[in-house]
Short mmCIF file of all heavy atoms in Angstrom, two decimals:
data_model
loop_
_atom_site.label_atom_id
_atom_site.label_comp_id
_atom_site.label_asym_id
_atom_site.label_seq_id
_atom_site.Cartn_x
_atom_site.Cartn_y
_atom_site.Cartn_z
N GLY A 416 -196.07 -11.80 0.77
CA GLY A 416 -196.34 -12.85 1.87
C GLY A 416 -197.72 -13.58 1.70
O GLY A 416 -197.75 -14.72 1.70
N PHE A 417 -198.71 -12.83 1.35
CA PHE A 417 -200.03 -13.38 1.20
C PHE A 417 -200.23 -14.40 0.08
O PHE A 417 -201.06 -15.18 -0.03
CB PHE A 417 -201.16 -12.29 1.12
CG PHE A 417 -201.15 -11.58 -0.22
CD1 PHE A 417 -201.86 -12.10 -1.34
CD2 PHE A 417 -200.38 -10.34 -0.35
CE1 PHE A 417 -201.77 -11.32 -2.50
CE2 PHE A 417 -200.34 -9.70 -1.51
CZ PHE A 417 -201.13 -10.20 -2.64
N PHE A 418 -199.27 -14.31 -0.93
CA PHE A 418 -199.33 -15.24 -1.93
C PHE A 418 -198.96 -16.66 -1.52
O PHE A 418 -199.37 -17.68 -1.98
CB PHE A 418 -198.40 -14.91 -3.04
CG PHE A 418 -199.05 -13.82 -3.98
CD1 PHE A 418 -198.65 -12.47 -3.93
CD2 PHE A 418 -199.92 -14.30 -5.02
CE1 PHE A 418 -199.10 -11.52 -4.81
CE2 PHE A 418 -200.39 -13.21 -5.93
CZ PHE A 418 -200.00 -12.00 -5.77
N GLU A 420 -198.36 -17.57 2.05
CA GLU A 420 -198.91 -18.10 3.37
C GLU A 420 -200.27 -18.87 3.12
O GLU A 420 -201.05 -18.59 2.29
CB GLU A 420 -199.19 -16.76 4.31
CG GLU A 420 -197.91 -16.27 4.82
CD GLU A 420 -198.02 -14.76 5.14
OE1 GLU A 420 -199.22 -14.23 5.09
OE2 GLU A 420 -197.02 -14.18 5.57
N ASP A 421 -200.34 -19.84 4.04
CA ASP A 421 -201.62 -20.59 4.08
C ASP A 421 -202.75 -19.71 4.80
O ASP A 421 -202.67 -19.52 5.87
CB ASP A 421 -201.47 -21.88 4.83
CG ASP A 421 -201.34 -23.06 3.71
OD1 ASP A 421 -201.89 -22.81 2.71
OD2 ASP A 421 -200.62 -23.96 4.22
N LEU A 422 -203.63 -19.08 4.01
CA LEU A 422 -204.61 -18.25 4.61
C LEU A 422 -205.76 -19.11 4.98
O LEU A 422 -206.28 -19.86 4.21
CB LEU A 422 -205.08 -17.19 3.64
CG LEU A 422 -204.11 -16.07 3.16
CD1 LEU A 422 -204.75 -15.04 2.45
CD2 LEU A 422 -203.51 -15.43 4.52
N ASP A 423 -205.99 -19.14 6.22
CA ASP A 423 -207.20 -20.05 6.69
C ASP A 423 -208.26 -19.14 7.39
O ASP A 423 -208.08 -18.89 8.61
CB ASP A 423 -206.73 -21.18 7.65
CG ASP A 423 -207.95 -21.89 8.15
OD1 ASP A 423 -208.90 -22.01 7.42
OD2 ASP A 423 -207.84 -22.46 9.32
N TYR A 424 -209.04 -18.60 6.57
CA TYR A 424 -209.99 -17.65 7.04
C TYR A 424 -210.64 -17.88 8.40
O TYR A 424 -211.06 -19.01 8.60
CB TYR A 424 -211.11 -17.49 6.10
CG TYR A 424 -212.10 -16.34 6.30
CD1 TYR A 424 -211.74 -15.01 6.02
CD2 TYR A 424 -213.36 -16.50 6.94
CE1 TYR A 424 -212.58 -13.86 6.23
CE2 TYR A 424 -214.17 -15.55 7.16
CZ TYR A 424 -213.81 -14.23 6.84
OH TYR A 424 -214.59 -13.18 7.05
N PRO A 425 -210.61 -16.91 9.33
CA PRO A 425 -210.10 -15.56 9.18
C PRO A 425 -208.72 -15.39 9.61
O PRO A 425 -208.21 -14.24 9.77
CB PRO A 425 -211.16 -14.75 10.02
CG PRO A 425 -211.37 -15.71 11.17
CD PRO A 425 -211.28 -17.04 10.54
N ASN A 426 -208.15 -16.47 9.93
CA ASN A 426 -206.67 -16.36 10.30
C ASN A 426 -205.78 -15.80 9.15
O ASN A 426 -205.99 -16.35 8.04
CB ASN A 426 -206.00 -17.68 10.67
CG ASN A 426 -206.84 -18.20 11.97
OD1 ASN A 426 -207.18 -17.45 12.84
ND2 ASN A 426 -207.00 -19.56 11.94
N GLY A 427 -204.94 -14.81 9.46
CA GLY A 427 -204.05 -14.35 8.45
C GLY A 427 -204.79 -13.17 7.62
O GLY A 427 -204.24 -12.65 6.78
N TYR A 428 -206.09 -12.96 7.96
CA TYR A 428 -206.80 -11.88 7.32
C TYR A 428 -206.72 -10.52 8.17
O TYR A 428 -206.66 -10.64 9.33
CB TYR A 428 -208.25 -12.22 7.04
CG TYR A 428 -208.47 -13.13 5.89
CD1 TYR A 428 -207.87 -14.38 5.77
CD2 TYR A 428 -209.22 -12.80 4.82
CE1 TYR A 428 -208.07 -15.25 4.66
CE2 TYR A 428 -209.44 -13.40 3.72
CZ TYR A 428 -208.89 -14.70 3.66
OH TYR A 428 -209.10 -15.49 2.55
N GLU A 429 -206.48 -9.54 7.39
CA GLU A 429 -206.49 -8.15 8.20
C GLU A 429 -207.77 -7.91 8.85
O GLU A 429 -208.80 -7.88 8.11
CB GLU A 429 -206.12 -7.09 7.31
CG GLU A 429 -204.58 -7.03 6.80
CD GLU A 429 -204.33 -5.91 5.75
OE1 GLU A 429 -205.20 -5.07 5.58
OE2 GLU A 429 -203.28 -5.90 5.33
N PRO A 430 -207.88 -7.77 10.06
CA PRO A 430 -209.18 -7.63 10.78
C PRO A 430 -209.86 -6.41 10.19
O PRO A 430 -211.14 -6.44 10.02
CB PRO A 430 -208.77 -7.25 12.20
CG PRO A 430 -207.40 -8.01 12.41
CD PRO A 430 -206.81 -7.79 11.09
N LYS A 431 -209.25 -5.33 9.75
CA LYS A 431 -209.91 -4.13 9.34
C LYS A 431 -210.63 -4.51 7.92
O LYS A 431 -211.71 -4.10 7.70
CB LYS A 431 -208.98 -3.00 9.13
CG LYS A 431 -208.83 -2.20 10.48
CD LYS A 431 -207.63 -1.28 10.32
CE LYS A 431 -207.88 0.19 10.48
NZ LYS A 431 -206.65 0.86 10.34
N ALA A 432 -209.85 -5.14 7.22
CA ALA A 432 -210.34 -5.61 5.78
C ALA A 432 -211.59 -6.49 5.92
O ALA A 432 -212.49 -6.30 5.25
CB ALA A 432 -209.23 -6.33 5.15
N VAL A 433 -211.56 -7.41 6.97
CA VAL A 433 -212.70 -8.32 7.16
C VAL A 433 -213.88 -7.41 7.59
O VAL A 433 -214.87 -7.57 7.13
CB VAL A 433 -212.36 -9.33 8.22
CG1 VAL A 433 -213.43 -10.20 8.60
CG2 VAL A 433 -211.21 -10.24 7.64
N ALA A 434 -213.60 -6.63 8.56
CA ALA A 434 -214.69 -5.77 9.12
C ALA A 434 -215.33 -4.94 8.08
O ALA A 434 -216.67 -4.81 8.00
CB ALA A 434 -214.06 -4.91 10.18
N TRP A 436 -215.34 -5.39 4.59
CA TRP A 436 -215.87 -6.01 3.44
C TRP A 436 -216.47 -7.42 3.57
O TRP A 436 -217.19 -7.91 2.62
CB TRP A 436 -214.82 -6.14 2.23
CG TRP A 436 -214.47 -4.77 1.74
CD1 TRP A 436 -213.26 -4.08 2.06
CD2 TRP A 436 -215.21 -3.91 0.99
NE1 TRP A 436 -213.29 -2.86 1.49
CE2 TRP A 436 -214.50 -2.71 0.75
CE3 TRP A 436 -216.53 -3.97 0.36
CZ2 TRP A 436 -214.98 -1.72 -0.05
CZ3 TRP A 436 -217.01 -2.96 -0.37
CH2 TRP A 436 -216.25 -1.78 -0.62
N MET A 437 -216.27 -8.11 4.62
CA MET A 437 -216.71 -9.53 4.75
C MET A 437 -218.24 -9.56 5.45
O MET A 437 -218.70 -10.59 5.70
CB MET A 437 -215.80 -10.29 5.56
CG MET A 437 -214.41 -10.48 4.90
SD MET A 437 -214.44 -11.41 3.29
CE MET A 437 -214.61 -10.25 2.09
N ILE A 483 -215.01 -5.79 -6.58
CA ILE A 483 -213.54 -5.87 -6.56
C ILE A 483 -213.09 -5.97 -5.06
O ILE A 483 -212.12 -6.95 -4.78
CB ILE A 483 -212.99 -4.53 -7.10
CG1 ILE A 483 -213.23 -4.42 -8.63
CG2 ILE A 483 -211.53 -4.49 -6.82
CD1 ILE A 483 -212.49 -5.46 -9.47
N HIS A 484 -213.47 -5.12 -4.17
CA HIS A 484 -212.90 -5.04 -2.89
C HIS A 484 -213.12 -6.31 -2.02
O HIS A 484 -212.15 -6.93 -1.52
CB HIS A 484 -213.31 -3.86 -2.07
CG HIS A 484 -212.79 -2.54 -2.85
ND1 HIS A 484 -211.48 -2.31 -3.09
CD2 HIS A 484 -213.46 -1.45 -3.25
CE1 HIS A 484 -211.43 -1.14 -3.69
NE2 HIS A 484 -212.62 -0.58 -3.78
N PRO A 485 -214.42 -6.76 -1.91
CA PRO A 485 -214.60 -8.01 -1.24
C PRO A 485 -213.87 -9.15 -1.77
O PRO A 485 -213.38 -10.00 -1.08
CB PRO A 485 -216.12 -8.09 -1.16
CG PRO A 485 -216.67 -7.25 -2.20
CD PRO A 485 -215.68 -6.12 -2.42
N THR A 486 -213.79 -9.27 -3.06
CA THR A 486 -213.05 -10.35 -3.76
C THR A 486 -211.68 -10.31 -3.42
O THR A 486 -210.99 -11.30 -3.09
CB THR A 486 -213.29 -10.23 -5.35
OG1 THR A 486 -214.49 -10.22 -5.54
CG2 THR A 486 -212.61 -11.36 -6.04
N ARG A 487 -211.06 -9.12 -3.35
CA ARG A 487 -209.57 -9.00 -3.14
C ARG A 487 -209.45 -9.48 -1.59
O ARG A 487 -208.46 -10.21 -1.37
CB ARG A 487 -209.18 -7.48 -3.25
CG ARG A 487 -207.69 -7.29 -2.73
CD ARG A 487 -207.27 -5.87 -2.67
NE ARG A 487 -207.49 -5.16 -3.90
CZ ARG A 487 -206.68 -5.36 -4.89
NH1 ARG A 487 -205.53 -6.08 -4.78
NH2 ARG A 487 -206.72 -4.73 -6.04
N VAL A 488 -210.28 -9.06 -0.73
CA VAL A 488 -210.06 -9.31 0.66
C VAL A 488 -210.21 -10.89 0.75
O VAL A 488 -209.38 -11.57 1.51
CB VAL A 488 -211.04 -8.65 1.56
CG1 VAL A 488 -211.00 -9.18 2.98
CG2 VAL A 488 -210.87 -7.15 1.60
N ALA A 489 -211.26 -11.45 0.09
CA ALA A 489 -211.39 -12.89 0.29
C ALA A 489 -210.24 -13.60 -0.25
O ALA A 489 -209.85 -14.67 0.32
CB ALA A 489 -212.73 -13.43 -0.52
N ALA A 490 -209.67 -13.21 -1.34
CA ALA A 490 -208.63 -13.92 -2.01
C ALA A 490 -207.26 -13.63 -1.32
O ALA A 490 -206.36 -14.53 -1.52
CB ALA A 490 -208.59 -13.64 -3.50
N THR A 491 -207.04 -12.49 -0.82
CA THR A 491 -205.68 -12.21 -0.29
C THR A 491 -205.54 -11.79 1.15
O THR A 491 -204.50 -11.80 1.75
CB THR A 491 -205.15 -10.89 -1.14
OG1 THR A 491 -205.91 -9.82 -0.72
CG2 THR A 491 -205.21 -11.16 -2.60
N GLY A 492 -206.79 -11.63 1.76
CA GLY A 492 -206.76 -11.20 3.17
C GLY A 492 -206.38 -9.83 3.48
O GLY A 492 -206.29 -9.38 4.59
N ARG A 493 -206.17 -9.07 2.37
CA ARG A 493 -205.80 -7.55 2.62
C ARG A 493 -206.53 -6.73 1.62
O ARG A 493 -207.23 -7.18 0.65
CB ARG A 493 -204.42 -7.39 2.60
CG ARG A 493 -203.73 -8.56 1.76
CD ARG A 493 -202.33 -8.13 1.33
NE ARG A 493 -201.36 -8.40 2.38
CZ ARG A 493 -200.23 -7.86 2.56
NH1 ARG A 493 -199.92 -6.98 1.62
NH2 ARG A 493 -199.34 -8.19 3.48
N THR A 494 -206.34 -5.52 1.75
CA THR A 494 -207.05 -4.44 0.94
C THR A 494 -206.12 -3.80 -0.06
O THR A 494 -206.53 -3.19 -1.01
CB THR A 494 -207.69 -3.31 1.81
OG1 THR A 494 -206.56 -2.73 2.55
CG2 THR A 494 -208.71 -3.78 2.66
N VAL A 495 -204.87 -4.06 -0.02
CA VAL A 495 -203.89 -3.53 -0.94
C VAL A 495 -203.15 -4.55 -1.58
O VAL A 495 -202.93 -5.68 -1.04
CB VAL A 495 -202.98 -2.55 -0.23
CG1 VAL A 495 -203.69 -1.49 0.41
CG2 VAL A 495 -201.99 -3.16 0.64
N GLY A 496 -202.73 -4.22 -2.72
CA GLY A 496 -201.86 -5.11 -3.62
C GLY A 496 -201.96 -4.88 -4.99
O GLY A 496 -202.54 -3.78 -5.34
N LEU A 499 -206.39 -6.59 -8.99
CA LEU A 499 -207.02 -7.82 -8.52
C LEU A 499 -206.85 -9.00 -9.55
O LEU A 499 -206.59 -10.11 -9.21
CB LEU A 499 -208.50 -7.52 -8.28
CG LEU A 499 -209.31 -8.67 -7.86
CD1 LEU A 499 -208.82 -9.34 -6.63
CD2 LEU A 499 -210.82 -8.54 -7.82
N THR A 502 -203.63 -10.43 -9.72
CA THR A 502 -203.42 -11.12 -8.45
C THR A 502 -204.02 -12.52 -8.44
O THR A 502 -203.37 -13.55 -8.15
CB THR A 502 -203.89 -10.38 -7.28
OG1 THR A 502 -203.32 -8.99 -7.25
CG2 THR A 502 -203.71 -11.07 -6.00
N LEU A 503 -205.27 -12.53 -8.96
CA LEU A 503 -205.85 -13.96 -9.04
C LEU A 503 -205.23 -14.77 -10.07
O LEU A 503 -205.08 -16.02 -9.80
CB LEU A 503 -207.43 -13.73 -9.49
CG LEU A 503 -208.31 -12.88 -8.39
CD1 LEU A 503 -209.81 -12.85 -8.99
CD2 LEU A 503 -208.18 -13.51 -7.07
N LEU A 506 -202.13 -16.10 -8.47
CA LEU A 506 -202.50 -17.05 -7.35
C LEU A 506 -202.70 -18.38 -7.95
O LEU A 506 -202.44 -19.43 -7.35
CB LEU A 506 -203.79 -16.42 -6.64
CG LEU A 506 -203.95 -16.51 -5.11
CD1 LEU A 506 -202.64 -16.30 -4.32
CD2 LEU A 506 -204.98 -15.40 -4.66
N ARG A 514 -209.45 -20.40 -1.40
CA ARG A 514 -209.60 -19.26 -0.44
C ARG A 514 -211.05 -18.72 -0.47
O ARG A 514 -211.62 -18.51 0.49
CB ARG A 514 -208.65 -18.14 -0.95
CG ARG A 514 -207.20 -18.52 -0.48
CD ARG A 514 -206.24 -17.45 -0.68
NE ARG A 514 -204.84 -17.89 -0.36
CZ ARG A 514 -203.89 -17.15 -0.44
NH1 ARG A 514 -203.93 -15.89 -0.83
NH2 ARG A 514 -202.67 -17.54 -0.01
N LEU A 515 -211.68 -18.73 -1.64
CA LEU A 515 -213.01 -18.12 -1.70
C LEU A 515 -213.96 -19.17 -1.10
O LEU A 515 -214.86 -18.80 -0.32
CB LEU A 515 -213.40 -18.04 -3.19
CG LEU A 515 -212.68 -17.04 -3.96
CD1 LEU A 515 -213.28 -16.88 -5.41
CD2 LEU A 515 -212.55 -15.58 -3.31
N VAL A 518 -213.65 -18.80 2.80
CA VAL A 518 -214.45 -17.76 3.27
C VAL A 518 -215.96 -18.04 3.22
O VAL A 518 -216.63 -17.83 4.21
CB VAL A 518 -214.19 -16.50 2.35
CG1 VAL A 518 -215.06 -15.40 2.85
CG2 VAL A 518 -212.67 -16.08 2.60
#
Side-chain angles (χ1 to χ4, degrees):
Chain A
F417 69 86
F418 278 102
E420 286 155 4
D421 257 331
L422 293 184
D423 178 29
Y424 187 78
N426 297 326
Y428 279 61
E429 284 175 9
K431 272 164 123 180
V433 173
W436 292 107
M437 295 295 91
I483 292 285
H484 295 309
T486 303
R487 177 191 299 284
V488 174
T491 70
R493 27 163 82 198
T494 56
V495 303
L499 177 63
T502 301
L503 297 183
L506 219 37
R514 289 181 179 184
L515 298 185
V518 173

